[in-house]
Amino acid sequence: MKPAIAVHKFASCDGCQLAFLAAGEDLLRLAEVADIVHFAEAGPVDPDAKVEIAFVEGSVSTPEDAERIQRVRACSRFLVTLGACATSGGLQALRNGADAEAWVASVYASPAYIQSLATSTPIKAHVKVDVELWGCPVNTSQVITTLRSLLAGVTPEPEREAVCMECKRHGHVCVMVTQDLPCMGPVTRTGCGAVCPGMGRDCYACYGPAEGINTDSLTRRLREAGLSSQQVVNRFRHINSGAPAFAHAAQRAAGEGDGERGS
Amino acid sequence: MKEHRELRIQVPVLARVEGEGALDLHIRAGVLEDLALRIFEPPRLFERFLVGREHTEIPDIVARICGICPVAYQMSAVHAIEGAFGAGPSSWVRAMRRVLYCGEWIESHALHIHLLAAPDFLGADSVVGLAQTHPAEVRRGLRLQELGNDLIRLLGGRAVHPVGVRPGGFYRAPRPAEVTALLDRLRAALPEADALVAWTASLDLPERHQDFVSVALRHPDEYPMNEGRLVSDDGLDIDIAEYPAHFRERHEKRSTALHSAYWREGISDGTAGRPYLVGPLARMNLNQNQLPPEVIALLEGTSVSFPSSNPFHGIVARALEIRYALGEATRLLDDYRVPDSPAVPVTPRAATGFGCSEAPRGILWHRYEFDADGRVLMATIVPPTSQNQARIEEDLRLSLAAFGLDRAEDELRRHAETVIRNYDPCISCATHFLRLRIHGK
């Protein structure tokens, strides 16, 4: 019997599901090796089916979704987060710490109709996550590699190093050194293919923090390049503002954490 | 007996739409008493995230509203920014933006036709099932989808949330060798798109004739994408900045998307306004005279022609737009040259700017207020799906009545889903939750 897999959606843009839906022939081949039992956008709907692997796109931002993710976990042997929203809370985590109620009122004419949590939180804030796939968006090769590894009984090895390393391998000219651009590559996890420096622009950290990074050093470098402290804060408070390393860096850049030396 | 039956059908998740939501149907004694398309968007509050951000950050942020049409968000945004700051794109930038948009229309339409809509008309539940019965057609569709994605990659570096767009133009100009490689594939795909048009026109689409207003951009020289005036088939012809005077958003209890209604002084009753259609069918109804003759000729010998009052002809309009976009991208890339600069300078000033472009699903309207340093003071974004929502409900009422309210529950549900999917609701644009419930009393 083919192993069952599911793709669940929470608060998101649907872009990470495209790693499957835009996979072309690979999508049809995937259906030959795995039984896709729940993937609403593709057709199958059976959210409570037991599965080998559940891929989860999106963050948790409503009381209903906070309950739903518990059911997803209970039905799944492996739970894999699919992209920035599921892994760090995503861009919409910018609401965290803000006056979410006032924000809702400013967008919707009748805010009483809106039921929403004050925060947008990653899946791991609610349930155990087995594999995290960073990226906004994730790409097909990340997803298929993870899926094949798990089905083969192998724990997938996540990308850990910074975009800078990938830039060197691609032979891209460093946009920070040559153009003084506020590139986030030194602190950002690779896996994207160093696409922004490849286009001659600064990385904006959509793959989240790499491991073993020095955000203080980057903050100093960005300030030397002429960014205001608010501009530096915005560099960290972007797609992955909920990632602890970036949240911490933003706080320090804002001068709020000056007295303490965080880990 | 059926006249007095009581129904209670609940489908927790409507499949093959982008995102999730709900539909409530109240049928009593053979009468559709109430109908509401519910869209539960976990509010993502993008318009607030933008406040305080620099104009240069907008294209990267608004792309995240929708993974399927990020280019549309970037295009409406950069035009609004440039309009506010008095910058005009170079002819090279203008042409390449159009190529980029062609890529998005191709990938988004190919995805909708093959993965979302076609299974409804061919007795399948998904593209995987459809690939069993129609392998050649599905593979052709997936190839076209991939080609659209590769066009986006050419200018954007990647297909989802591309990174190439900046106010004033692009970060990088493609190398001629990259363009040449893609041109060969575009030309080779033209006959495939011709066949796709014929195939969609041959599908067993429901016969419906409904009275609705189509709204789209119109440009004097070309089929509309990035620029134009807003027009309707009942005589509206306005600058995009006048949009709020004729189109009103209201907040319905049943939805976290804001509903839009069309309102014209002296024509509309009261202030409630009326539903209207945006998207491929509306564009085709209003702009088919801008299509090259060889594209229009593809409809000869079929039962489909435009303008059309049958909403189900939307799938044929999508196929025609794929064919048009392939030809247009080929034309624009044919005499490709690397420009002196891939972007024009953009100098901020305190101002308000408007952008409206034709997303795959219809007009996407943006308005930004900037301070003197180019930081966002206020942002307003109206996506196509919230504009179509009232029209979808109106169509559901008419289509279900025409279909027959005495039909079996499964048939009613399936037909209602087919009607909704036909609009390709980009619930991603609102990250909605669609849940179908049919109540019988």
Side-chain angles (χ1 to χ4, degrees), chain B residues 202-224:
Chain B
S202 75
L203 291 171
D204 187 19
L205 303 171
E207 269 301 316
R208 297 274 187 275
H209 293 285
Q210 299 177 3
D211 176 27
F212 55 83
V213 179
S214 294
V215 176
L217 289 177
R218 180 182 284 155
H219 189 279
D221 308 322
E222 61 198 14
Y223 199 77

Side-chain angles (χ1 to χ4, degrees), chain B residues 9-14 20-27 32 34-40 254 389 392-397 400 412-421 427 433-439:
Chain B
I9 302 173
Q10 187 164 4
V11 180
V13 178
L14 181 65
E20 301 169 313
L23 175 72
D24 283 353
L25 296 179
H26 292 254
I27 299 172
L32 181 58
D34 193 25
L35 174 155
L37 178 62
R38 290 169 174 273
I39 290 190
F40 300 133
R254 59 177 178 263
Q389 200 170 336
I392 299 174
E393 291 185 359
E394 183 180 64
D395 188 346
L396 277 166
R397 280 182 185 282
L400 288 172
L412 282 170
R413 192 190 67 214
R414 177 103 191 182
H415 193 69
E417 292 186 28
T418 302
V419 169
I420 294 169
R421 275 186 210 116
I427 295 177
F433 198 101
L434 209 49
R435 181 181 297 141
L436 180 69
R437 260 195 331 248
I438 302 179
H439 296 296

Side-chain angles (χ1 to χ4, degrees), chain B residues 126-289:
Chain B
S126 74
V127 70
V128 174
L130 194 63
Q132 306 291 321
T133 56
H134 295 74
E137 289 86 350
V138 165
R139 286 184 163 80
R140 179 181 65 206
L142 296 177
R143 280 194 302 274
L144 288 167
Q145 183 189 9
E146 180 65 11
L147 184 52
N149 282 326
D150 283 342
L151 262 182
I152 300 176
R153 286 187 187 104
L154 174 74
L155 288 149
R158 65 183 174 196
V160 181
H161 304 329
V163 301
V165 172
R166 65 188 299 179
F170 291 87
Y171 286 100
R172 165 188 177 272
R175 289 184 292 273
E178 298 171 84
V179 172
T180 306
L182 210 47
L183 263 176
D184 291 342
R185 289 174 58 205
L186 287 167
R187 288 203 183 89
L190 289 171
E192 299 215 307
D194 290 352
L196 173 66
V197 173
W199 183 61
T200 55
S202 75
L203 291 171
D204 187 19
L205 303 171
E207 269 301 316
R208 297 274 187 275
H209 293 285
Q210 299 177 3
D211 176 27
F212 55 83
V213 179
S214 294
V215 176
L217 289 177
R218 180 182 284 155
H219 189 279
D221 308 322
E222 61 198 14
Y223 199 77
M225 283 185 182
N226 278 286
E227 298 148 280
R229 288 173 67 80
L230 271 170
V231 300
S232 74
D233 49 14
D234 71 345
L236 184 78
D237 184 350
I238 57 169
D239 187 275
I240 60 166
E242 294 171 57
Y243 176 88
H246 297 275
F247 299 90
R248 295 176 179 181
E249 286 187 292
R250 64 182 194 278
H251 189 191
E252 300 271 325
K253 184 167 187 173
R254 59 177 178 263
S255 174
T256 51
L258 300 167
H259 288 216
S260 295
Y262 168 51
W263 188 82
R264 290 191 71 192
E265 193 154 9
I267 293 178
S268 306
D269 294 335
T271 56
R274 64 174 290 190
Y276 61 102
L277 178 76
V278 301
L281 179 57
R283 280 196 292 266
M284 197 58 70
N285 281 346
L286 290 161
N287 295 287
Q288 44 142 355
N289 63 322

Side-chain angles (χ1 to χ4, degrees), chain A residues 9 12-14 18 21 25 40-43 61 91 95 106 108 110 113-114 136 201 204 231 234 237, chain B residues 15-16 18 41-44 46 48 53-54 60 64 67 116 126 139 145 158 163 251 253 256 428 431:
Chain A
K9 175 190 157 57
S12 66
C13 76
D14 283 40
L18 289 174
L21 296 173
E25 289 277 338
E41 188 168 337
S61 65
L91 194 109
R95 79 165 72 166
S106 74
Y108 296 97
S110 309
Y113 298 163
I114 301 292
C136 182
R201 65 170 292 191
Y204 56 94
Q231 285 172 320
N234 282 355
R237 285 182 53 77
Chain B
R16 281 184 282 120
E18 287 133 3
E41 173 188 357
R44 291 172 71 214
F46 271 82
R48 284 305 310 228
R53 291 284 179 166
E54 322 231 351
D60 296 328
R64 267 68 189 185
L116 309 184
S126 74
R139 286 184 163 80
Q145 183 189 9
R158 65 183 174 196
V163 301
H251 189 191
K253 184 167 187 173
T256 51
S428 321
T431 333

